[in-house]
Amino acid sequence: MSEGGARPRIALVKGDGIGPEVIESALAVLEAAGAELDLVPVEVGYGRWKRTGLAMAPEDLEAMGECRGVLFGAITTPSDPSYRSVLLAIRKGLDLYANIRPFQDAGMDLLIVRENTEGLYSGVEEIGADRSTTLRVITRMGSKRIAEAACRLAKGRKLTIVHKSNVLKSDILFLRTCREVAGAAGVEHEDMLVDAAAYNMVKDPRRFKIMVATNLFGDILSDLAAGVSGSLGLCASANFGDSHALFEPIHGSAPDIAGRGIANPVGAIRSAAMMLDWLGDDERARTIDEAVIWALRRGYRTPDLGGRCGTADVAAAVAGRVEELASGGGGSEGKGAI
Ligand code: NAI
Ligand code: MG
């Protein structure tokens, strides 16, 4: 998978904590699928900061920008006011404005489209001993492009616009812009206050098909959706810009289980499949998704799903199934949801 040629160049960031563990699994599955990629390792994150005092150098961002896409594990972001979030810097630096998160387990079939560059993650902050503020930035351009992305992805499904415009007046612009875009695109839509959306997602998760939300609301609702779908460890994401994309499981570095070989690798494996799909290799992407469902149904599950398998056992089961499917065996078992 690593020699040059016309293969797409992909920056590989393993990261901290369980990041390297789940990325190893994703690589094993990509290898089994015969994916043709030219991987460029890039080291960023907390581990590097502790070792060198620098979490990410400008050259690292450049290296990521020069690749077609990025496959990313997870990194630790300490709550230290002097530490700048590397992920925010990458999302902003590569202008990866659309964070796409599919949830398809436990009967859910939901796509969350999260604005990824502004809102409460604007980075415009004043930190004082007695008063700290963070500026919530909503722009017409930012709202328009995320609404357009959601409308492109809606494909006949009803779009739910999530907001809190009754209290946060900045959300009036977001809501209005999303409505305008959906109306012009002929996309059926509704809107819902974020607290009601959280409640309804627990009460009746199948009610929602596709949601568009500002940065923080999308972040929180997607962990909620992950909980409803069974585990954070199952869930994948893509961060899209107009020319670049970064693929990562939605979970973090999980320091509580790091190094124990029990992290669920499915989110990372599915992220790799999303990447192949984006690269135009939808056949391999589908094969990997089917193999994941097959492995989960067969009981290859890590402890977060109540199973007894290790990370490597799940990866090996998925990789084995991918090989079987790729060679024409295996029937159709594995389609649909777990
Ligand atoms: P987390 O997502 O790392 O973990 C939350 C809980 O879910 C933990 O109990 C963890 O053990 C469990 N979990 C997460 N992924 C799992 C997996 N694959 N298999 C099994 N269990 C899993 O969130 P937390 O603990 O709030 O953050 C830890 C660190 O990760 C922090 O430094 C945070 O800033 C960072 N983080 C990084 C992200 C990224 O790189 N994209 C995203 C979210 C958090
Ligand atoms: Mg999050």
Side-chain angles (χ1 to χ4, degrees), residues 101 114 219-220 222-223 250:
R101 301 181 154 190
R114 162 186 168 193
D219 191 2
I220 295 172
S222 50
D223 273 27
I250 77 168

Side-chain angles (χ1 to χ4, degrees), residues 194-252:
V194 63
D195 38 2
Y199 173 77
N200 284 323
M201 204 188 275
V202 173
K203 286 292 273 187
D204 184 13
R206 293 170 204 213
R207 159 187 208 298
F208 297 108
K209 297 299 170 207
I210 171 163
M211 286 179 156
V212 63
T214 50
N215 211 335
L216 178 68
F217 294 164
D219 191 2
I220 295 172
L221 287 181
S222 50
D223 273 27
L224 177 61
V228 173
S229 80
S231 169
L232 257 182
L234 288 172
C235 307
S237 77
N239 298 261
F240 288 118
D242 287 330
S243 55
H244 280 88
L246 179 151
F247 300 85
E248 56 171 347
I250 77 168
H251 61 75

